[in-house]
Amino acid sequence: MRHIKALAIKLIAILVLSYIILGLFFNYSIGNVLTLTLLIWIVSYILGDLLLLPRTNNLTATISDFATAMILTWFYLANITYNENNLFLVSFILSIGVAIINWFFHKYMMSNVIREKESYVQTNNFHYQTEASEEISPDKSKWKKDNP
């Protein structure tokens, strides 16, 4: 139930942001906006929120979500675009918005969805002991001198 609520929050936030940026400002159709939103939503939830966030920190997961959104947006729009928008600019603006949303969403995930026992970050205090001996270097005075 915790993950379903988190998925719904993330989907609504990315859908609203994508519609405002892509639909209103750059005149992409609602079908393209919805498809791109679903791609970003699923990939960033799996990679950034479930795999990377529990193992690292918020900044690393946010940078990963930015890169994921940038790559997915750029490739998707490059394959469907027929207008004269600057694809890099569109992708960059949307990725900045996704990164800002995910910064706050990761804080929500860490406090409400990911529990401490589910976190992969471990703080083990290993106590290694090495073996020591007196015979580290041989005593050359005890060697027989066979060669004159």
Side-chain angles (χ1 to χ4, degrees), residues 2-147:
R2 297 174 293 151
H3 288 282
I4 293 172
K5 185 178 177 183
L7 279 167
I9 291 170
K10 187 167 187 157
L11 176 64
I12 292 169
I14 293 175
L15 182 61
V16 169
L17 176 77
S18 297
Y19 180 72
I20 291 171
I21 293 174
L22 296 176
L24 297 180
F25 291 132
F26 293 103
N27 298 323
Y28 286 99
S29 70
I30 191 69
N32 291 333
V33 170
L34 186 60
T35 304
L36 186 59
T37 298
L38 291 175
L39 282 172
I40 293 172
W41 173 59
I42 292 295
V43 173
S44 71
Y45 190 78
I46 291 171
L47 291 179
D49 302 335
L50 295 181
L51 296 177
L52 197 58
L53 182 62
R55 290 177 174 89
T56 60
N57 58 10
N58 190 0
L59 180 64
T60 306
T62 302
I63 292 170
S64 168
D65 286 334
F66 171 81
T68 301
M70 182 79 176
I71 291 169
L72 287 175
T73 304
W74 198 345
F75 284 140
Y76 182 77
L77 294 180
N79 288 319
I80 60 119
T81 193
Y82 50 87
N83 55 12
E84 299 167 0
N85 291 331
N86 184 354
L87 295 181
F88 178 79
L89 181 65
V90 175
S91 302
F92 186 75
I93 292 171
L94 183 63
S95 300
I96 290 290
V98 168
I100 292 169
I101 286 173
N102 280 322
W103 176 265
F104 296 106
F105 181 74
H106 292 157
K107 290 182 180 187
Y108 169 78
M109 284 284 290
M110 289 303 288
S111 65
N112 296 328
V113 178
I114 300 173
R115 306 247 190 248
E116 281 297 319
K117 60 184 173 185
E118 291 179 5
S119 180
Y120 295 100
V121 178
Q122 297 178 356
T123 56
N124 294 330
N125 293 326
F126 297 112
H127 298 286
Y128 294 113
Q129 183 176 0
T130 59
E131 182 178 341
S133 70
E134 296 176 5
E135 301 167 352
I136 291 176
S137 61
D139 186 11
K140 293 182 181 179
S141 65
K142 296 180 183 176
W143 290 2
K144 290 183 185 179
K145 293 185 179 180
D146 293 335
N147 296 332

